[in-house]
Amino acid sequence: MNIATMSLADLSGALLGFTLTIFVLSFIIGDNFLFRLATHIFVGTAAGYTTIVTLYNIILPHLIFPFLDGNRGEIFLAVSFLVPSVLLLMKISPRLSPLGNPAVAILVGIGAAVAIGGATFGTIFPQTVASMSVFENQTFINALVILVGTLSTLLYFQFSTRKNETQNQSASLLTRALRWSGKTFIAITFGALFAGVYIAAITALIERFMYLWQFIKILIFPA
Amino acid sequence: MSEIRCPMCGKNNPDQLEKCQYCQARLTPFFVSGDDADRGDSGLPDWMKSEFEDQPSSTADAEPEDWLAGLRPEADSPDDEDAAPFDDSGDDWLGRMRGFDDEDDADESEDESSIFDGKLPEWMSVPEAKEPPAAPEPDPAAEDAMLDWLSKLDSGNQAAAPPAAESEELPDWMLNFDSNNAPEAESTPEIPAASPEPDPELPDWLTHAAPAVESASPALESDGEALPDWMFSADNDQPESASIPDESQPAPAGDGLPDWMSKEFAAEKFDDGLPDWMSGQDDPDHAAALSTILPDTSPLMPEWPTDFESDSKSAVGIGADLTPSDEFEPDWLETLGAGTSAESFELEAPTLESELSNADNDLFALDALSDAFSDSYDADEPPADDLAAPADLPDWLQAMRPVESSAAHHPTEHGPIEQTGPLAGLSGVLMAEPEIARLKKAPTFTSKLEITPAQQEHVRIFTDLLNNEGTPKFTREPIHISTQNLLRWVSALLLIFVVALGVMSESQTVPPPSGVAIPAEMLHLADLIEALAPTDPVLVSFDFEPGTSGEMNAASAAVIDHLMLKGAYLSLVSTSPTGPALAEYFIHTIQSEHGYTSGIQYTNLGYIPGGASGLLGFVQMPSRITPLSFDGMEAWQTPALSGIQSLADYKLVLLITDNPDTARTWLEQVQPYLQDTPLIAVVSAQAEPILHPYASGPNAQLSGLISGLNGGAAYEQVIGKPNLARVYWDTLNYALMAAVIVLLIGVAANLMSHFTRKKTPGEAT
């Protein structure tokens, strides 16, 4: 890429991106005005952009356009959207907020039902079936590790014990060993998650440095 | 041979004797006749002489023992044979009163005769100011003097005793008396002195006593005004019976007398007869004798008549110095004053003289009677005249004596007199108001806290405890605390240096993952994309945030590149508002080499609102949820999308996300409705540990999974076309190597500090 061939918009965008990247990276020396400025710019831009996207992708297609050139079904559907939407806007006023409760109830109820149904049939049952067939599809070592890791992790979250004759409420040695094993698997999982977060952050840093380097190359080496 | 009975000792003496041969008392009154008027004040005692020595007209010459005869002329009257001796000692005057009935008791008479042995009794030795002037002598000068003080007394009483003022201070019984007798008292001075006819307005008792009262003085009238009915009646009965020997005019017994003083009451109370001393009340002789001993009863007299008496006597005492005023003299006094000689006075008003004397004695007797009823209660206080001893009243008389009068004279004995409220004027009442409204000075407490040594020690211990609690215990400051910032700065600089070096070097020496390092699900994903035909609709979801766009772009670049290489028709959607913009940037920036055009090779369906619900609706009715494309065109009118009724109509669904929750939502809401359409995912490295179980196994919900820059670089190796991941790969490896080195250095330093740190005693235990 050559700076001479760049449009003004691309050059402005590249310059703005470079500047804001420096502002964000200034956080390495602590919270400062440049970092807060860049943060506020991003938040404001994102909010404005989201408003525009919502207007163009949701409000106009679903609430306005059907009344302009829609058929009866589309109008009826638009009315069914419009009424709860207007009631939901009543939440702005504390005096009229109770009018928005039905819309909120519909949203929460439907959302909960969808989430529960999806979790049940999309995660719990499939993962349970996959865990039960681990020895069929994995090597014994892998399957054993998967089994021990799953059981020990579940046992780690068992905090109740049975009262024995000696009034000693401490868990048995096996249970304690499994708990320790489960804690180890949890720690490894957290380590893997942290490693993934670290890799993602390093990747983002590399991408930003790459962007800066490309911009600097354009400035330094225009040809 | 006639005999004269001694008025003092009661023994008979020859009539030629002037003095009693037993008691040396004068047997004949020295002022009864006009002859005696020539004696002047010779018969007065010394104190009386001094009182009258300034009176040139006083020519009374009487023996010292006979001056008392003027106080009781009726007793000195030779006709009064009932004159009984009396005891002036005052200790047992009532007993002496009873002795009047035993006139024949010679022994008693002998004892009593020894009393008047020329000595003045104690009660008589009062100051001259209080001694009533015993000068009822018919001497004109003395008469003038007497008239003078009488007139002064009258004027003084009129001026100093306004009825209204008296009525306010007088008790009720006196007020009643005052109200009942006020017209009488006012009319009394207007009665002519020598009028033999009684005033019809006067009560009966006053009618009988009118001559005596009129001849006495206005002071007596004033005195009578202040007296209760019973005392006034009794007072008038006695002088009437005493001064008027004529019993043809009996006194109206019981008129105005209280019940206890009436004979009927006495007869009822004493079935066996009245007491001796009371039985003689109606007897003129006893009355005369009583009048002679009444001065001895001064201790029983209430205080009010005493005060009045003192005022009157003071007025009388100074009467000699007062000049007579005609305007204050009543008519009767003027009539009396009309006489110029003692003889005429004696002839014209013999009765007047005796009545005047009697009235004076009555006044005296009334005072003494009042004192007798009052002062007997006050046993501790000395007598007012320092001579009269407290009388010994009988119990029944003590019980019947007027309480109000004595209570009024001893306010301090029963407490102060109530000043306000309905009980105003009463004494001895409960002093509620002063107790309640008493202004008490607020108690003063010392502000200095008194603390014992033990308490001080406790305070010190508690203070030390509080101070020590706020002060952290001394612990060895960790070494790494001081190097924390340095270590952080070193790590940051090292990482920045490595990344910058990798980027600027543009090194691609580090080999990407290949061979066994490529997971099987990635190979399966490549096979799925490889199986796509051109223009096959592929749904690509850009569900990541701009912050992770660097990683997600590098990780998904190879997959998108592979799809574009295959000529798939891309439908771009996002459950994030920023997703459509990131998708546009990716198509036009990252994969700009393919020249994909919106509406021809791809359609940006835009943002899917509603989260899981919206996604579920999009799965079932994609054209209803996103009817328009991101650029506002009809999204579902393109040839590639015209046949799409649900997501199952897509050949492949690719999910690019950095959020495991978003990936799970897609897996839970979309994957069950995809039927045979495979779902592949390109996720961030931080979401791989959570999403990897969905991509493993024969019934994996994810047909293929690419995670992070590592997966992107590996997929580039699979498809054999280096891309953005490869550019970042070396730098990523350098950065990871640097991070590993930093971690190893940190772990080594921590271990060294752990083993080299000396254990404190607390840690050792």
Side-chain angles (χ1 to χ4, degrees):
Chain A
M1 181 177 287
N2 193 338
I3 191 173
T5 60
M6 292 179 64
S7 65
L8 182 60
D10 293 337
L11 183 60
S12 300
L15 183 60
L16 182 61
F18 177 83
T19 306
L20 291 177
T21 301
I22 298 298
F23 285 173
V24 172
L25 292 178
S26 66
F27 188 74
I28 193 173
I29 58 175
D31 191 9
N32 57 82
F33 169 76
L34 299 179
F35 174 76
R36 289 195 298 272
L37 177 63
T39 305
H40 293 162
I41 289 173
F42 289 148
V43 172
T45 303
Y49 177 76
T50 303
T51 302
I52 298 299
V53 169
T54 304
L55 177 65
Y56 279 93
N57 277 32
I58 300 171
I59 296 176
L60 291 178
H62 295 285
L63 298 178
I64 305 300
F65 293 159
F67 291 99
L68 298 178
D69 55 354
N71 54 27
R72 183 175 298 177
E74 293 174 347
I75 294 175
F76 179 78
L77 186 61
V79 171
S80 64
F81 294 158
L82 184 62
V83 172
S85 301
V86 172
L87 292 177
L88 194 60
L89 289 176
M90 298 297 105
K91 284 291 183 182
I92 298 174
S93 172
R95 186 170 57 88
L96 301 177
S97 62
L99 297 176
N101 290 340
V104 174
I106 292 172
L107 292 177
V108 173
I110 293 176
V114 170
I116 292 173
T120 303
F121 296 100
T123 300
I124 295 176
F125 287 170
Q127 292 299 316
T128 303
V129 172
S131 298
M132 288 189 295
S133 59
V134 65
F135 283 94
E136 298 176 358
N137 305 312
Q138 300 287 342
T139 60
F140 179 79
I141 299 299
N142 289 340
L144 183 60
V145 171
I146 293 173
L147 177 63
V148 172
T150 303
L151 295 178
S152 61
T153 302
L154 293 176
L155 285 175
Y156 176 77
F157 292 100
Q158 182 187 6
F159 301 106
S160 59
T161 58
R162 180 174 294 181
K163 195 172 185 180
N164 55 17
E165 297 176 354
T166 59
Q167 303 296 326
N168 186 8
Q169 298 183 8
S170 60
S172 62
L173 181 60
L174 178 61
T175 304
R176 283 184 289 175
L178 289 175
R179 287 180 180 177
W180 181 85
S181 175
K183 185 168 63 176
T184 302
F185 278 101
I186 292 172
I188 293 171
T189 303
F190 285 155
L193 291 174
F194 178 76
V197 172
Y198 184 78
I199 292 172
I202 292 295
T203 305
L205 178 65
I206 293 171
E207 190 270 337
R208 283 294 89 189
F209 270 76
M210 188 65 71
Y211 175 80
L212 294 176
W213 177 242
Q214 295 295 331
F215 185 79
I216 292 172
K217 281 201 306 183
I218 294 173
L219 293 178
I220 297 176
F221 310 104
Chain B
M1 181 179 179
S2 61
E3 294 180 347
I4 297 175
R5 187 178 182 182
C6 178
M8 294 300 172
C9 61
K11 294 182 179 179
N12 296 328
N13 294 282
D15 56 354
Q16 66 274 11
L17 295 178
E18 292 182 356
K19 296 182 180 177
C20 179
Q21 57 183 356
Y22 300 103
C23 62
Q24 298 303 319
R26 187 176 181 83
L27 298 176
T28 59
F30 69 98
F31 63 95
V32 172
S33 62
D35 297 336
D36 294 335
D38 298 333
R39 299 174 188 172
D41 56 353
S42 61
L44 294 176
D46 295 338
W47 61 276
M48 291 297 288
K49 289 179 180 179
S50 61
E51 188 71 20
F52 290 95
E53 63 183 1
D54 295 336
Q55 300 178 4
S57 60
S58 176
T59 56
D61 186 11
E63 296 180 5
E65 295 79 4
D66 292 339
W67 67 272
L68 287 174
L71 299 176
R72 48 186 184 283
E74 65 280 0
D76 294 338
S77 175
D79 299 335
D80 189 4
E81 295 180 354
D82 296 333
F86 64 96
D87 185 5
D88 290 336
S89 62
D91 296 333
D92 192 12
W93 61 276
L94 288 174
R96 296 301 180 186
M97 290 174 65
R98 288 190 297 270
F100 285 118
D101 294 335
D102 300 333
E103 296 176 354
D104 296 336
D105 190 352
D107 297 336
E108 184 177 346
S109 301
E110 291 177 359
D111 295 337
E112 291 172 350
S113 62
S114 62
I115 297 173
F116 296 94
D117 52 357
K119 296 182 180 177
L120 197 63
E122 292 180 357
W123 64 273
M124 293 298 291
S125 61
V126 296
E128 291 78 2
K130 294 182 178 179
E131 188 65 22
E137 296 176 359
D139 182 54
E143 181 184 352
D144 293 339
M146 181 185 65
L147 294 176
D148 291 341
W149 69 265
L150 285 174
S151 62
K152 287 295 183 181
L153 185 61
D154 183 26
S155 62
N157 290 332
Q158 291 178 352
E166 289 182 358
S167 61
E168 293 178 357
E169 299 178 354
L170 291 177
D172 296 337
W173 62 272
M174 293 186 68
L175 290 174
N176 297 332
F177 168 79
D178 193 14
S179 60
N180 295 333
N181 298 281
E184 301 171 0
E186 292 176 355
S187 62
T188 304
E190 298 177 359
I191 299 173
S195 175
E197 294 298 329
D199 194 329
E201 298 179 356
L202 293 175
D204 296 340
W205 59 272
L206 189 57
T207 303
H208 295 294
V213 172
E214 292 171 359
S215 62
S217 70
L220 181 60
E221 297 174 3
S222 300
D223 194 5
E225 292 175 1
L227 290 176
D229 294 340
W230 61 272
M231 293 188 68
F232 197 77
S233 301
D235 181 50
N236 286 280
D237 291 343
Q238 294 174 0
E240 182 180 16
S241 60
S243 60
I244 304 175
D246 187 5
E247 298 182 0
S248 61
Q249 297 178 355
D255 187 8
L257 284 174
D259 295 336
W260 64 274
M261 292 292 289
S262 63
K263 291 190 294 185
E264 291 79 5
F265 176 80
E268 293 176 359
K269 295 293 290 184
F270 306 99
D271 296 336
D272 53 349
L274 288 172
D276 296 338
W277 63 277
M278 286 195 66
S279 61
Q281 283 292 327
D282 295 335
D283 190 354
D285 296 338
H286 283 279
L290 182 61
S291 64
T292 59
I293 65 172
L294 278 176
D296 196 22
T297 62
S298 60
L300 299 176
M301 199 63 179
E303 198 171 303
W304 56 270
T306 305
D307 297 337
F308 184 79
E309 175 196 4
S310 63
D311 295 337
S312 302
K313 290 177 181 180
S314 300
V316 171
I318 61 176
D321 298 334
L322 298 176
T323 57
S325 177
D326 295 339
E327 59 183 3
F328 293 106
E329 279 188 352
D331 296 336
W332 58 276
L333 284 177
E334 293 178 357
T335 305
L336 290 177
T340 56
S341 63
E343 290 79 6
S344 63
F345 178 79
E346 182 179 1
L347 292 175
E348 291 177 0
T351 307
L352 178 62
E353 176 187 345
S354 62
E355 290 179 353
L356 182 60
S357 174
N358 291 335
D360 202 357
N361 289 331
D362 292 341
L363 175 62
F364 203 19
L366 186 61
D367 296 343
L369 183 60
S370 299
D371 291 336
F373 281 107
S374 63
D375 293 344
S376 63
Y377 184 78
D378 191 2
D380 297 332
E381 294 182 1
D385 52 2
D386 296 330
L387 296 174
D392 187 12
L393 286 176
D395 295 336
W396 60 271
L397 184 58
Q398 180 75 14
M400 288 186 293
R401 69 182 184 84
V403 179
E404 290 183 354
S405 60
S406 56
H409 294 295
H410 303 280
T412 57
E413 201 166 295
H414 298 286
I417 298 175
E418 186 71 15
Q419 300 295 333
T420 60
L423 301 179
L426 299 181
S427 62
V429 298
L430 294 176
M431 303 300 291
E433 184 177 359
E435 293 295 334
I436 295 173
R438 180 181 298 171
L439 296 177
K440 296 181 178 179
K441 185 179 180 180
T444 57
F445 300 99
T446 176
S447 59
K448 185 177 181 181
L449 185 62
E450 297 179 357
I451 303 176
T452 62
Q455 292 174 339
Q456 291 179 352
E457 182 64 17
H458 293 164
V459 169
R460 187 190 62 79
I461 294 173
F462 187 69
T463 304
D464 294 343
L465 181 63
L466 293 178
N467 295 332
N468 294 334
E469 186 179 14
T471 303
K473 291 183 179 180
F474 173 76
T475 55
R476 179 176 294 178
E477 189 173 353
I479 299 174
H480 60 85
I481 295 298
S482 59
T483 60
Q484 189 73 29
N485 293 330
L486 178 62
L487 184 61
R488 186 174 60 184
W489 275 102
V490 169
S491 302
L493 292 177
L494 178 62
L495 185 60
I496 291 173
F497 175 75
V498 171
V499 170
L501 182 61
V503 169
M504 289 187 293
S505 66
E506 297 181 353
S507 168
Q508 295 186 356
T509 58
V510 179
S514 59
V516 295
I518 298 174
E521 57 267 17
M522 184 179 296
L523 298 176
H524 182 68
L525 186 149
D527 294 340
L528 291 175
I529 295 175
E530 191 64 27
L532 290 176
T535 69
D536 281 346
V538 176
L539 180 64
V540 181
S541 175
F542 287 84
D543 281 335
F544 56 87
E545 300 297 328
T548 58
S549 61
E551 181 191 12
M552 300 310 301
N553 289 334
S556 62
V559 178
I560 298 296
D561 188 20
H562 194 190
L563 290 174
M564 289 182 173
L565 290 176
K566 297 297 293 183
Y569 189 90
L570 302 179
S571 296
L572 308 179
V573 293
S574 176
T575 59
S576 170
T578 57
L582 293 177
E584 291 290 333
Y585 174 80
F586 187 88
I587 298 295
H588 296 285
T589 304
I590 305 300
Q591 302 295 339
S592 59
E593 58 179 334
H594 298 284
Y596 262 57
T597 306
S598 175
I600 299 175
Q601 287 101 5
Y602 79 97
T603 301
N604 192 347
L605 298 177
Y607 168 61
I608 301 174
S613 302
L615 191 58
L616 181 60
F618 179 75
V619 170
Q620 297 174 353
M621 296 178 296
S623 60
R624 293 283 186 181
I625 300 301
T626 56
L628 300 178
S629 63
F630 187 67
D631 52 5
M633 303 298 291
E634 291 290 340
W636 306 97
Q637 302 299 328
T638 60
L641 298 180
S642 58
I644 302 297
Q645 301 298 325
S646 67
L647 293 188
D649 298 332
Y650 281 100
K651 299 299 180 180
L652 182 67
V653 176
L654 173 62
L655 174 63
I656 306 173
T657 181
D658 60 347
N659 192 342
D661 294 333
T662 303
R664 194 165 55 201
T665 300
W666 273 87
L667 290 172
E668 292 174 353
Q669 304 298 332
V670 176
Q671 193 273 334
Y673 295 96
L674 292 180
Q675 299 177 1
D676 295 335
T677 303
L679 175 62
I680 59 176
V682 178
V683 297
S684 172
Q686 61 186 350
E688 184 187 4
I690 298 175
L691 297 178
H692 196 274
Y694 292 94
S696 61
N699 299 322
Q701 296 172 277
L702 286 176
S703 300
L705 179 63
I706 298 175
S707 60
L709 189 60
N710 185 26
Y715 193 81
E716 290 175 359
Q717 288 294 108
V718 172
I719 62 175
K721 183 182 181 182
N723 207 312
L724 190 59
R726 183 68 186 87
V727 178
Y728 296 165
W729 179 249
D730 286 7
T731 308
L732 176 65
N733 282 273
Y734 297 153
L736 291 177
M737 186 59 66
V740 170
I741 293 172
V742 170
L743 287 175
L744 292 177
I745 293 174
V747 171
N750 193 17
L751 290 175
M752 291 179 62
S753 66
H754 176 73
F755 288 110
T756 57
R757 186 176 56 186
K758 295 180 179 179
K759 293 183 178 180
T760 60
E763 293 176 345
T765 56

